[in-house]
Amino acid sequence: MAFDSCVNGRHIGPFFRGAWGAIRQYDFSSVGTMGINLKGQIVMKNLVLKGALAASALVLLANAASAATLDDVKKKGFLQCGVNTGLPGFASPNDKGEWSGFDVDYCRAVAAAVFGDPTKVKYTPLSAKDRLPALQSGEIDVLIRNTTWTLSRDEQGFDFTGVNYYDGQGFMINSKKLSGINSALQLSGASVCVQAGTTTELNLADYFKANKMEYNPVVFEKVEEVNAAYDSGRCDAYTTDQSGLYAYRLALTAPDDHIVLPEIISKEPLGPVVRQGDQQWADIIRWTHYALLTAEELGITKANVEELAKGDSPEVKRVLGQEAGTKLGTDLGLTNDWVVNIVKAVGNYGEIFDKNLGSGSPLKIARGINAQWSKGGLQYAMPIR
Amino acid sequence: MASQDITPVGKDSAKVSLLNDPKFRGYIFQAVAVLVIAGLVYWMVNNTIANLQRANLASGFGFLDGRSGFDISSSPYLAYSSDSTYLQALWVGILNTLTVAFAGIITATIIGFIIGIGRLSHNWLIRKICTVYVEVFRNIPPLLVIFFWYSGVLSVLPQARQSISLPFNTFLNNRGFFFPAPVFGEGAWLAGVGLLVGIAGTFFVRRWAYKRQMATGQQFPVGWTSLGLIVGLPVLALAIKGFPLSFDYPVLGAFNLKGGSQVGPEFMSLFLALSFYTAAFIAEIVRAGIRGVGKGQSEAAHALGLRAGPTTRLVVVPQAMRIIIPPLTSQYLNLTKNSSLAVAIGYPDLVAVGGTILNQTNRSIEVVTIWLVVYLSISVLTSLFMNWFNAKMALVER
Ligand SMILES: N[C@@H](CCC(=O)N[C@@H](CS)C(=O)NCC(=O)O)C(=O)O
């Protein structure tokens, strides 16, 4: 359709690079105009124009979700990966606009599996609110952005392909200002900063209700606004996934003043999401995750993968596609050395974790329940055979 | 051919002139335009429906009965909790939009009139200040004005413990403005009755005073009498019942001030920003309106012995209003629509609440439709009201 380019075209206007943190996040090119924003949604700045064009927007909305994503991706020559707008450790761009993080490495792993080249990825930063519509409209091929697997999301036309990080929701407070508080159960009456359109928002309501506590939600759509509001003291507590708390804590003016309270109030299994109805593509994302886990289990690392591929352990050879007459990779729609490509590009699960979240990163998050099943964790790969 | 040029008026010439008839051609062009537009609309609607069905996107408004599961920070009129439905959440959003739009329109109008009249002042300083005001606010995007109030002014206020205390037990801190909430005891209803009687009394006094002035030329201090009636009667009623009125004062709690009433910084910054921003445009409209009244009008009024005040009030402003009201309507509509920028600072207006619902339920088509319908309705109602007002103010020929 002729309008395709409107949906998939990048409408990221010039970002206002001022000193004013919050303002910077607004795309002034779209203020007072109506259009389709980069998430394929309607830019809601001027509602009258919005009205005038909503009809045409609807026409554009639903046409891009074609069934054979793998073919589309190959034809395009790159993977369009939906990631966080900026969550250190998971996905954040540096000054030069290069993305890095745990979720970003998953995008790169998929690109390596498909193209043998981890650089063939384009990233679409997505806020909590925009991520699923962006996937639905076909603007992105896969969403790898700390997204919690829930039944309702699964039923809304999406498929979760696994859990790459087991998380849970927590609270952070300024322990200097609120020195007496060391449990979330003492938060009755507090103002709590939270991002709109998350599972976080719902768990928060449930938790305070279940514990018969009151609170005043301070809700923003953009995470930068949540961070700024918490940092400026607009709220007493900040709630989100614990990994997110650790990441944002480091970005605060005085990180050492802030503590994460011990309570974990929810289960937040985070994982990649694809559109429902494309089994092959879902399988590729699913098995990329298992490949990363299997590589860790078998001790296959970025450094030794090429050498091990030439070795003679039957299991390693099978996983790395060196078994005679193997069709494991081609059956998936990839090449037989897909696991070699993945591990060569990003390393194994453990390497990715350490580099982005664990000891090799400023976050220093322990493996905890994200350890391999054999080490007491929950990460368990299905056998590649 | 030359012979055709001089064909006398007859049947033939009528045929030729039908094609050349500008009126007839106009009809043809309009018919073609209508057909093209209708075809386009048909194609778009058809395409949309087909695409939506293919993607399983539109599925009706039934989901609005579901439990919302999220809380909303500000719901001054309705009892709302996470157990309420999505529909109730939407109502909270709509009422919040209306509240900020209504409050903004009132304040913007007042500021706008003051500044607009100030720009015509004979006092150099007042004139310049008003000009600077207009030029500054007219040339900044409203979003920046909102951020100015939110990040620049309200969020740098002190923490709850160091709240700035203001007269009458009111407090200001970075969580908002806190003031005592009246608690009405038994018998306070009489004050309400007093108020109603006061308003009705004012109405009658005005009519009587007008008639008397028409008949005798004598004036009556209607303003003061009205004020006395409207304020005095309720107070008198309270006094009779022994003041059954107490106040719930804000006091410092564990995290914040508790009790009393409170206006959050999100509302305040949006309200202030919309008021100040739109006032700049209203000021220009007011100035143009006053300028549009012929100088002869005030000269005639002076010649009749009216002083400057009554001249402005009774001669210039009523005529200026006719020029002012139509563009004023557009400004009111703009203000209402700009209130959707609330989403940037987390004020739970219709767009913010709708956005949350959209996200939690993934019903984009339905929510976008609701947005459109609600804003359209608000705008149409505002326009209708202003048209009525305009008709009332219009020149009545006697
Ligand atoms: N896991 C939760 C919350 C995920 C989430 O969006 N977290 C926030 C706070 S850590 C975030 O990453 N926001 C970044 C953004 O919206 O740009 C969910 O799936 O709803």
Side-chain angles (χ1 to χ4, degrees):
Chain A
M1 214 170 94
F3 285 143
D4 258 346
S5 58
C6 299
V7 173
N8 288 329
R10 300 285 84 78
H11 282 254
I12 313 169
F15 274 51
F16 187 89
R17 303 222 173 271
W20 208 342
I23 290 177
R24 218 181 41 214
Q25 307 307 329
Y26 275 84
D27 177 353
F28 282 92
S29 64
S30 64
V31 174
T33 64
M34 151 74 199
I36 314 298
N37 71 2
L38 67 162
K39 289 107 199 174
Q41 276 191 317
I42 292 155
V43 176
M44 323 172 290
K45 293 286 153 58
N46 183 324
L47 284 138
V48 151
L49 281 167
K50 183 171 137 188
L53 286 172
S56 42
L58 300 189
V59 187
L60 310 170
L61 199 71
N63 72 78
S66 96
T69 314
L70 180 63
D71 296 343
D72 286 355
V73 170
K74 280 187 176 157
K75 208 159 76 201
K76 269 190 305 194
F78 60 89
L79 173 79
Q80 193 75 46
C81 201
V83 295
N84 203 302
T85 56
L87 179 59
F90 283 87
S92 56
N94 66 10
D95 297 343
K96 288 188 227 116
E98 297 157 343
W99 288 81
S100 65
F102 185 74
D103 284 343
V104 167
D105 277 344
Y106 264 78
C107 297
R108 289 159 46 83
V110 174
V114 173
F115 297 109
D117 180 353
T119 60
K120 295 204 164 147
V121 193
K122 289 194 180 165
Y123 299 97
T124 305
L126 293 167
S127 75
K129 221 183 131 212
D130 295 330
R131 58 186 153 172
L132 290 172
L135 181 61
Q136 193 165 39
S137 71
E139 197 202 333
I140 55 173
D141 302 312
V142 58
L143 176 70
I144 310 183
R145 181 211 170 280
N146 55 321
T147 299
T148 305
W149 188 347
T150 67
L151 173 61
S152 54
R153 286 177 181 167
D154 220 343
E155 286 313 297
Q156 283 161 0
F158 304 108
D159 253 334
F160 285 79
T161 62
V163 178
N164 66 353
Y165 188 95
Y166 289 95
D167 209 336
Q169 186 177 336
F171 292 93
M172 173 164 68
I173 58 158
N174 185 329
S175 58
K176 230 176 174 176
K177 274 190 215 145
L178 302 171
S179 47
I181 289 182
N182 46 36
S183 154
L185 292 167
Q186 292 169 286
L187 288 178
S188 189
S191 296
V192 183
C193 274
V194 61
Q195 192 177 11
T198 53
T199 51
T200 318
E201 197 182 7
L202 306 178
N203 297 325
L204 174 68
D206 284 355
Y207 181 75
F208 275 78
K209 193 176 162 62
N211 289 296
K212 301 198 169 47
M213 301 193 298
E214 307 230 305
Y215 73 108
N216 175 27
V218 181
V219 190
F220 297 91
E221 232 164 60
K222 298 197 185 228
V223 74
E224 301 81 12
E225 292 157 358
V226 191
N227 294 350
Y230 175 71
D231 212 7
S232 77
R234 172 69 186 87
C235 316
D236 303 298
Y238 187 148
T239 183
T240 185
D241 300 343
Q242 274 211 340
S243 60
L245 291 181
Y246 284 110
Y248 291 138
R249 197 176 79 108
L250 292 182
L252 295 172
T253 339
D256 293 339
D257 291 353
H258 299 264
I259 56 165
V260 174
L261 296 174
E263 284 82 1
I264 292 183
I265 67 166
S266 72
K267 291 190 286 190
E268 304 291 331
L270 312 179
V273 201
V274 294
R275 282 180 294 277
Q276 200 162 350
D278 186 350
Q279 289 301 333
Q280 184 192 32
W281 184 242
D283 281 344
I284 289 172
I285 312 291
R286 179 176 300 122
W287 286 93
T288 300
H289 172 52
Y290 292 149
L292 288 165
L293 286 174
T294 307
E296 181 182 27
E297 253 185 307
L298 298 179
I300 308 172
T301 65
K302 195 172 178 171
N304 69 14
V305 56
E306 291 199 301
E307 188 189 320
L308 286 183
K310 291 183 214 111
D312 44 25
S313 148
E315 200 177 357
V316 171
K317 276 178 76 172
R318 186 183 327 112
V319 167
L320 295 182
Q322 307 299 318
E323 212 174 51
T326 183
K327 278 169 67 189
L328 290 177
T330 46
D331 281 352
L332 205 50
L334 305 171
T335 54
N336 281 325
D337 59 352
W338 63 291
V339 181
V340 178
N341 289 337
I342 292 175
V343 180
K344 221 162 66 185
V346 298
N348 64 38
Y349 183 87
E351 288 177 281
I352 299 180
F353 193 102
D354 283 342
K355 179 177 103 194
N356 295 302
L357 305 168
S359 45
S361 78
L363 295 176
K364 306 263 179 292
I365 297 177
R367 271 299 276 277
I369 51 175
N370 287 298
Q372 290 280 349
W373 63 285
S374 51
K375 303 234 171 78
L378 294 173
Q379 291 294 0
Y380 183 108
M382 307 307 144
I384 296 182
R385 65 179 311 141
Chain B
M1 261 178 244
S3 65
Q4 276 180 339
D5 290 342
I6 46 167
T7 317
V9 180
K11 275 184 185 169
D12 272 10
S13 77
K15 246 186 217 158
V16 174
S17 71
L18 190 60
L19 271 186
N20 284 332
D21 180 7
K23 221 168 164 186
F24 180 73
R25 275 210 275 189
Y27 285 135
I28 297 273
F29 283 135
Q30 289 183 37
V32 169
V34 166
L35 278 180
V36 167
I37 293 174
L40 221 71
V41 169
Y42 174 79
W43 173 78
M44 268 178 17
V45 169
N46 232 6
N47 206 345
T48 306
I49 293 176
N51 278 333
L52 291 180
Q53 277 171 352
R54 213 179 46 217
N56 271 334
L57 269 179
S59 45
F61 291 89
F63 73 99
L64 287 175
D65 294 332
R67 176 182 185 271
S68 71
F70 59 87
D71 283 300
I72 298 179
S73 57
S74 145
S75 170
Y77 314 106
L78 301 176
Y80 174 87
S81 78
S82 55
D83 285 334
S84 307
T85 62
Y86 288 118
L87 189 64
Q88 284 165 313
L90 274 177
W91 272 114
V92 172
I94 292 174
L95 290 175
N96 283 341
T97 291
L98 289 176
T99 308
V100 79
F102 186 74
I105 283 175
I106 304 278
T107 331
T109 308
I110 296 174
I111 304 176
F113 268 79
I114 294 175
I115 301 284
I117 292 173
R119 284 201 72 179
L120 298 171
S121 164
H122 295 300
N123 182 320
W124 182 86
L125 186 64
I126 293 181
R127 216 166 52 231
K128 284 297 166 226
I129 291 177
C130 293
T131 307
V132 168
Y133 176 95
V134 169
E135 291 309 333
V136 166
F137 279 99
R138 207 166 53 153
N139 293 307
I140 300 179
L143 189 59
L144 282 188
V145 186
I146 294 176
F147 278 132
F148 165 74
W149 284 105
Y150 192 66
S151 315
V153 178
L154 296 174
S155 79
V156 298
L157 288 171
Q159 302 283 327
R161 252 161 257 276
Q162 289 96 39
S163 299
I164 305 171
S165 54
L166 301 168
F168 305 111
N169 276 298
T170 58
F171 300 91
L172 198 59
N173 63 33
N174 67 356
R175 303 288 168 80
F177 177 64
F178 299 77
F179 53 95
V183 183
F184 294 105
E186 221 175 302
W189 57 269
L190 200 61
V193 173
L195 186 68
L196 288 181
V197 172
I199 292 174
T202 305
F203 186 70
F204 284 117
V205 167
R206 275 190 57 165
R207 282 220 349 215
W208 169 81
Y210 181 75
K211 270 197 189 139
R212 195 179 73 143
Q213 190 176 352
M214 281 298 156
T216 67
Q218 278 174 329
Q219 290 194 342
F220 185 79
V222 179
W224 291 112
T225 326
S226 313
L227 193 71
L229 283 173
I230 290 176
V231 177
L233 284 182
V235 171
L236 191 70
L238 282 178
I240 292 173
K241 286 284 177 184
F243 287 103
L245 175 70
S246 58
F247 286 96
D248 178 18
Y249 293 104
V251 288
L252 192 63
F255 294 100
N256 196 356
L257 297 177
K258 287 206 294 208
S261 292
Q262 128 181 38
V263 184
E266 290 80 22
F267 177 86
M268 281 204 286
S269 39
L270 185 64
F271 160 69
L272 291 171
L274 292 178
S275 306
F276 281 82
Y277 175 76
T278 314
F281 293 87
I282 295 183
E284 283 302 88
I285 293 171
V286 169
R287 186 171 71 115
I290 293 177
R291 275 277 169 81
V293 177
K295 216 174 170 195
Q297 294 289 322
S298 39
E299 281 169 0
H302 290 318
L304 286 174
L306 283 180
R307 271 173 285 119
T311 301
T312 309
R313 202 154 37 84
L314 300 171
V315 177
V316 178
V317 168
Q319 299 188 66
M321 282 312 267
R322 295 187 196 118
I323 311 174
I324 292 174
I325 290 172
L328 195 61
T329 311
S330 317
Q331 289 310 322
Y332 289 175
L333 298 182
N334 276 347
L335 188 146
T336 309
K337 286 176 291 170
N338 281 338
S339 74
S340 63
L341 293 171
V343 78
I345 49 162
Y347 176 68
D349 78 327
L350 174 62
V351 172
V353 173
T356 303
I357 295 175
L358 188 161
N359 200 256
Q360 299 291 5
T361 61
N362 209 30
R363 301 295 161 96
S364 21
I365 306 300
E366 289 84 347
V367 172
V368 170
T369 310
I370 293 174
W371 276 332
L372 295 178
V373 169
V374 172
Y375 277 99
L376 194 63
S377 314
I378 297 178
S379 296
V380 168
L381 288 178
T382 313
S383 293
L384 285 180
F385 173 78
M386 292 303 283
N387 286 347
W388 168 82
F389 188 52
N390 196 24
K392 211 173 118 83
M393 295 300 280
L395 204 64
V396 188
E397 308 256 354
R398 272 193 269 226

